[in-house]
Amino acid sequence: MKKVALFVHNLTVEYALTVAQGAAAYYTKDKDVQLILAQTNQPHYPYGLYEYQYWASAEILNSDDIDLLMLVSSTYETYIKEEELRKFLEPFTKKPIVSIAVDLPFKDVHYTSCDCDKAFDQIVSHLKNVHGCTKIGFVSANATNSSEALVRFDAFKKALQKNGLKYNPDWTIEGYFIREAAKNITLDRFKSKNEIEFDALVAANDLMAEGCMEALEELRVKVPKQVKVIGFDDSTRASFTTPSLSTIDQNIFEQGYKASELAHKLLTGATIPRETKTSASPIYRQSCGCITQSNTTFASKNQEGKNIQNQRLNSETLEKYTQHFSDTVAIYTLIDTFHTTHTLKELFGTLSQITVQLNFSSMAVVLYEKPVSFKKEETIVIPDKAYLRSYIDNNKQIIPYDDKGIEINPHKKLLPDTYFAQMSGVYILHAIFAGEKQYGYLIIQVPNTKFEMHHIYLKLIINAIAHAYEFNQTLDINEVLSNRNERLLKNNHELNIQSIEDELTKVLNRRGFIDHAEKELKRAAKNGKSGIVFFADMDGLKKINDTWGHKVGDIAIQTEAKILIEAFRESDIVGRLSGDEFAIVSTGLTKGYISAIRQRLDQLNRLYSEKAELPITLSISLGYVEFTPENCELDELLSKADQVLYKEKEIKHASRNS
């Protein structure tokens, strides 16, 4: 039985999800192959606090057990440069690699690519000859350095030249393959509809096309009457936008299927070329004017102008949307189950029922001898020793929970042959982690390709396992009594919440913050823990009040409080000390996370300012100081953090005046 690993950067991206579904569709039971899917992100993933831990799944699948690696390479190039990707993949090159959409600089690599020159020529010709467009702009993703982005940009420019049109760099918008980026950058570039000179826009993917349509709508530019818009990918979203999006179908599902076919040929000893091309074809809908906006039948036309079946509206698509309620029920069931489960034994006792609820064919839980911890900047190294602690097949618990389990070396075998060797089909591997700790991994066999939902289910399951593991380690009578006492104290505290809550923002007021913060610092000192105290000051509140009035200023303060609550952890203490001053106590946080927090605050300030319809984009300055068990006096810490904040304010002021 051959084993193929499929790496996907992020399953929340429709392109990657569709490619994965196409790859899985090839491996029916007669192929005698196990396809093991894993969302990996990338090593040292910079976004979020712990998302970098997903890379452990890739390290686990760098096992002698795996015969071939498939990779949705284009999704990685959106986030990292080619040389970084090469460095990350170097340890995996002992096995053959099939790359989807991107060539990789290794010897034993085969890849698929989409030949899009003809399709771009067809859409440019269509815009010119059918709709009379002569000023055609482009929404690029060249800034990502993705080879796909560069190929599509080059194909567009060649199509212009072939059709006797000139390329104008002033009509090129950089969208980074991201809808929100394309929208915001378009609005930054063009302040009114009078500045729009182009009569058509062609985008390097559907998401950017959709973002530009939203921006044009805000600028009161009518699509398609004044500007025609065409995307690339033919994602499911393209059929449901308003207007529905004309696009280029690069047969994403087929690319995944073709890659699996190539992988299977390699596994059976066949000789195949390094590159295998797939074709792309235009699909015309409402956004270029080929289908009237009064037409509500989700119609599409091909290059010849003939009506064609909408590939995004079929029984599978409709079933996916009608299954939403069933998926929601499954999630609620998981939450309820895990809410009442405490120990590993209790949790593992529910796994048979969970596999029934989620229709998993099998589930294996592997735990390391002891948890291993990794910070974002550290290399994830998988232990040599692990134990199969539970195995369920066809809803029967073949291996019930026990404290020891069956020993394996993950570098050699993902699971013992007895439980894994003869079962062909599609699997998902998910590392079990919480915070900086890695506990092991889960492998499930799935009955369908709803990978995005399976990923949510697994996230809930691994969180429950991690929490149960920690509970097992600390379970004793004193701990139980302590937890009960803490719950009673919490209830008493909630009765007095009004006296310590800031009326405007609903976060802790100065009194409430000082009370909670001092108690937390004492608790941290008692347990030998360190952390960080932040002093935060909104930028430009006086200007907001003077320019737009105190009502807008109050909305700005309320919005910033919401941003701080979302940016920091639930366990952190956030309070408003005065008008535009806030403070935060974060036990367990280290300086290594400051950059990520600043980045998160910047993102949330942009997002929430837009949602609140504020006239400016909010920003906030941070001062911070570390506390230790030996240095945990709140007044002194706040004073030092305020001094750091003052220096940051001076730097910002100098930067604005330079």
Side-chain angles (χ1 to χ4, degrees):
M1 180 73 66
K2 299 293 186 180
K3 293 181 177 63
V4 174
L6 173 60
F7 286 6
V8 179
H9 188 279
N10 192 327
L11 281 168
T12 64
V13 177
E14 185 182 344
Y15 168 83
L17 177 62
T18 306
V19 172
Q21 290 170 334
Y26 178 83
Y27 288 111
T28 53
K29 290 185 178 180
D30 64 318
K31 295 297 192 302
D32 198 36
V33 171
Q34 295 169 329
L35 177 70
I36 307 170
L37 168 70
Q39 174 175 309
T40 66
N41 288 2
Q42 69 204 48
H44 321 298
Y45 188 64
Y47 305 107
L49 290 178
Y50 303 113
E51 279 80 352
Y52 66 92
Q53 293 276 37
Y54 280 105
W55 185 252
S57 296
E59 296 293 347
I60 293 166
L61 286 171
N62 191 16
S63 167
D64 295 346
D65 219 8
I66 301 299
D67 299 290
L68 181 145
L69 171 63
M70 291 173 61
L71 189 79
V72 189
S73 306
S74 54
T75 60
Y76 290 84
E77 287 199 344
T78 303
Y79 298 91
I80 53 178
K81 296 179 180 179
E82 183 177 330
E83 55 267 29
E84 290 181 277
L85 181 59
R86 175 176 181 171
K87 179 182 177 182
F88 296 157
L89 293 178
E90 190 76 47
F92 298 89
T93 56
K94 296 176 183 178
K95 302 182 179 71
I97 296 175
V98 173
S99 172
I100 298 170
V102 174
D103 189 11
L104 295 172
F106 303 118
K107 182 178 180 182
D108 197 4
V109 168
H110 301 269
Y111 71 100
T112 63
S113 67
C114 178
D115 185 358
C116 58
D117 284 2
K118 181 179 178 181
F120 272 103
D121 178 37
Q122 288 174 323
I123 62 169
V124 170
S125 173
H126 177 84
L127 289 169
K128 177 185 176 183
N129 298 323
V130 176
H131 298 295
C133 298
T134 58
K135 300 177 179 180
I136 305 176
F138 190 71
V139 190
S140 156
N142 291 352
T144 66
N145 289 315
S146 161
S147 57
E148 278 193 308
L150 299 174
V151 165
R152 293 172 195 176
F153 181 58
D154 184 60
F156 169 74
K157 290 200 295 185
K158 287 191 291 187
L160 288 179
Q161 185 177 23
K162 188 173 180 180
N163 285 276
L165 300 175
K166 290 185 178 180
Y167 167 70
N168 189 333
D170 292 335
W171 302 338
T172 297
I173 300 166
E174 179 55 53
Y176 298 90
F177 279 137
I178 300 170
R179 182 183 63 178
E180 292 76 12
K183 176 183 177 179
N184 293 334
I185 291 171
T186 301
L187 292 173
D188 286 341
R189 282 273 301 276
F190 306 103
K191 302 305 181 184
S192 75
K193 65 179 181 180
N194 297 327
E195 297 181 18
I196 304 294
E197 297 179 350
F198 47 80
D199 51 22
L201 270 181
V202 177
N205 80 344
D206 288 346
L207 288 174
M208 294 190 296
E210 184 181 347
C212 285
M213 286 202 298
E214 292 176 0
L216 291 172
E217 182 181 1
E218 289 193 22
L219 293 170
R220 301 187 182 281
V221 176
K222 295 181 179 179
V223 176
K225 184 177 181 180
Q226 293 169 298
V227 174
K228 321 293 182 188
V229 178
I230 295 183
F232 192 104
D233 279 341
D234 193 26
S235 61
T236 302
R237 295 175 63 97
S239 296
F240 296 94
T241 59
T242 303
S244 60
L245 183 64
S246 300
T247 184
I248 294 176
D249 181 6
Q250 63 160 325
N251 297 307
I252 301 172
F253 186 92
E254 179 63 26
Q255 286 186 41
Y257 191 92
K258 177 63 70 174
S260 284
E261 184 179 34
L262 296 175
H264 193 233
K265 287 181 178 179
L266 286 172
L267 291 174
T268 54
T271 301
I272 63 172
R274 183 178 181 90
E275 180 183 14
T276 299
K277 289 188 175 182
T278 59
S279 59
S281 56
I283 294 178
Y284 301 111
R285 299 191 179 104
Q286 294 173 339
S287 67
C288 72
C290 284
I291 303 295
T292 63
Q293 288 189 258
S294 60
N295 189 328
T296 58
T297 63
F298 300 100
S300 303
K301 291 184 178 182
N302 62 13
Q303 181 67 19
E304 290 71 41
K306 296 179 180 179
N307 290 330
I308 57 174
Q309 181 181 358
N310 191 321
Q311 298 298 315
R312 298 302 166 201
L313 280 175
N314 51 43
S315 58
E316 184 177 339
T317 306
L318 294 174
E319 180 185 1
K320 175 181 176 181
Y321 283 94
T322 55
Q323 282 293 314
H324 174 75
F325 180 74
S326 176
D327 294 332
T328 303
V329 171
I331 292 172
Y332 274 117
T333 301
L334 284 178
I335 292 172
D336 286 342
T337 301
F338 298 151
H339 179 71
T340 57
T341 300
H342 298 293
T343 67
L344 280 173
K345 184 175 183 179
E346 290 170 339
L347 174 62
F348 283 24
T350 68
L351 292 183
S352 294
Q353 290 77 25
I354 289 172
T355 58
V356 173
Q357 176 71 37
L358 304 181
N359 294 318
F360 294 158
S361 302
S362 65
M363 177 190 293
V365 182
V366 177
L367 298 179
Y368 301 137
E369 188 172 29
K370 58 182 180 180
V372 288
S373 295
F374 304 102
K375 297 184 183 298
K376 185 175 293 189
E377 65 275 9
E378 296 175 340
T379 300
I380 293 177
V381 179
I382 303 304
D384 294 331
K385 191 178 291 187
Y387 297 88
L388 176 60
R389 298 285 290 272
S390 183
Y391 180 75
I392 294 132
D393 184 29
N394 291 322
N395 308 324
K396 295 181 180 178
Q397 194 147 13
I398 308 301
I399 299 178
Y401 169 82
D402 69 75
D403 290 332
K404 186 176 181 182
I406 300 173
E407 183 177 336
I408 51 175
N409 182 345
H411 297 286
K412 303 294 183 182
K413 293 283 184 183
L414 299 176
L415 293 175
D417 286 341
T418 308
Y419 304 101
F420 197 42
Q422 304 305 317
M423 300 182 296
S424 61
V426 178
Y427 295 79
I428 298 177
L429 182 144
H430 200 306
I432 300 172
F433 64 87
E436 295 180 349
K437 285 186 178 181
Q438 289 273 345
Y439 297 85
Y441 53 92
L442 257 174
I443 298 179
I444 61 165
Q445 186 177 16
V446 293
N448 54 52
T449 57
K450 292 166 56 177
F451 297 136
E452 72 278 30
M453 289 310 306
H454 297 322
H455 189 70
I456 294 173
Y457 299 153
L458 291 181
K459 185 64 177 174
L460 290 170
I461 294 171
I462 68 150
N463 284 344
I465 293 174
H467 293 153
Y469 190 102
E470 291 299 321
F471 189 85
N472 265 39
Q473 302 305 301
T474 59
L475 189 60
D476 57 51
I477 298 299
N478 290 334
E479 185 69 16
V480 172
L481 291 173
S482 175
N483 287 342
R484 289 175 180 172
N485 289 335
E486 286 180 9
R487 284 197 293 271
L488 289 172
L489 289 171
K490 182 179 179 181
N491 289 337
N492 291 333
H493 165 73
E494 289 175 352
L495 292 174
N496 297 313
I497 192 69
Q498 292 182 345
S499 66
I500 60 173
E501 182 179 81
D502 180 57
E503 185 176 352
L504 177 64
T505 63
K506 305 306 178 184
V507 299
L508 292 170
N509 59 21
R510 186 180 190 90
R511 172 189 169 190
F513 174 79
I514 291 174
D515 180 55
H516 279 65
E518 287 181 341
K519 288 178 180 177
E520 175 58 18
L521 290 171
K522 289 179 181 178
R523 189 195 66 80
K526 182 179 179 181
N527 294 321
K529 293 184 178 181
S530 301
I532 293 181
V533 171
F534 294 87
F535 201 106
D537 189 353
M538 292 176 62
D539 298 326
L541 181 62
K542 184 178 184 303
K543 180 181 177 182
I544 295 174
N545 287 329
D546 292 344
T547 307
W548 293 285
H550 286 273
K551 185 175 181 180
V552 175
D554 285 348
I555 295 173
I557 294 171
Q558 290 172 326
T559 303
E560 196 62 58
K562 293 176 183 177
I563 290 166
L564 290 170
I565 289 295
E566 183 163 340
F568 286 88
R569 303 168 302 181
E570 187 175 353
S571 59
D572 295 335
I573 299 169
V574 179
R576 181 187 177 204
L577 301 185
S578 65
D580 60 351
E581 293 180 341
F582 295 84
I584 304 97
V585 172
S586 296
T587 302
L589 203 68
T590 63
K591 284 185 177 180
Y593 294 109
I594 301 297
S595 177
I597 289 172
R598 290 184 188 277
Q599 187 176 33
R600 178 68 170 157
L601 284 170
D602 288 341
Q603 292 171 344
L604 291 172
N605 271 307
R606 289 193 294 271
L607 176 64
Y608 275 71
S609 296
E610 183 178 344
K611 283 185 176 180
E613 299 182 344
L614 288 168
I616 65 169
T617 299
L618 297 177
S619 65
I620 193 165
S621 298
L622 276 184
Y624 64 91
V625 62
E626 289 185 295
F627 68 83
T628 64
E630 296 77 26
N631 178 25
C632 59
E633 290 296 322
L634 181 61
D635 288 343
E636 182 179 348
L637 293 168
L638 286 173
S639 177
K640 289 181 179 178
D642 189 24
Q643 292 172 23
V644 177
L645 171 67
Y646 181 77
K647 292 180 181 178
E648 178 172 321
K649 286 278 191 180
E650 283 187 323
I651 293 171
K652 283 188 176 180
H653 183 73
S655 176
R656 284 195 295 267
N657 294 332
S658 61

